Amino acid sequence: DPIQMVDVFRRPEYLPEIAEAAIAKGARVLWCQLGVVNLEAARRARAAGMTVVMDRCPAIEYGRLF
């Protein structure tokens, strides 16, 4: 099955490598948890057509939205 979302809990310096792997796998979303921000990795992922969310927690956002 295709990968829908890659949820990153690693430190920001690891994000470029993770973003490249997510791009290679064809993931649709790169979600970076609280405190995980790397603008270059985000730029690369967006250029590859991915949706990028940084410095947010899916559980908090889900509770806030629903």
Side-chain angles (χ1 to χ4, degrees):
D1 291 329
I3 298 172
Q4 298 298 313
M5 182 173 90
V6 174
D7 191 358
V8 182
F9 287 85
R10 302 286 307 273
R11 293 191 320 242
E13 62 263 28
Y14 296 106
L15 196 52
E17 181 180 345
I18 294 167
E20 290 301 324
I23 292 166
K25 290 288 187 178
R28 294 183 179 181
V29 177
L30 181 67
W31 191 295
C32 305
Q33 289 288 328
L34 295 171
V36 182
V37 176
N38 185 303
L39 299 179
E40 180 57 29
R43 182 201 61 75
R44 176 70 181 103
R46 285 187 182 110
M50 294 178 72
T51 299
V52 178
V53 179
M54 300 179 94
D55 199 26
R56 300 242 186 252
C57 172
I60 293 171
E61 294 303 311
Y62 184 85
R64 184 178 67 81
L65 295 171
F66 302 103

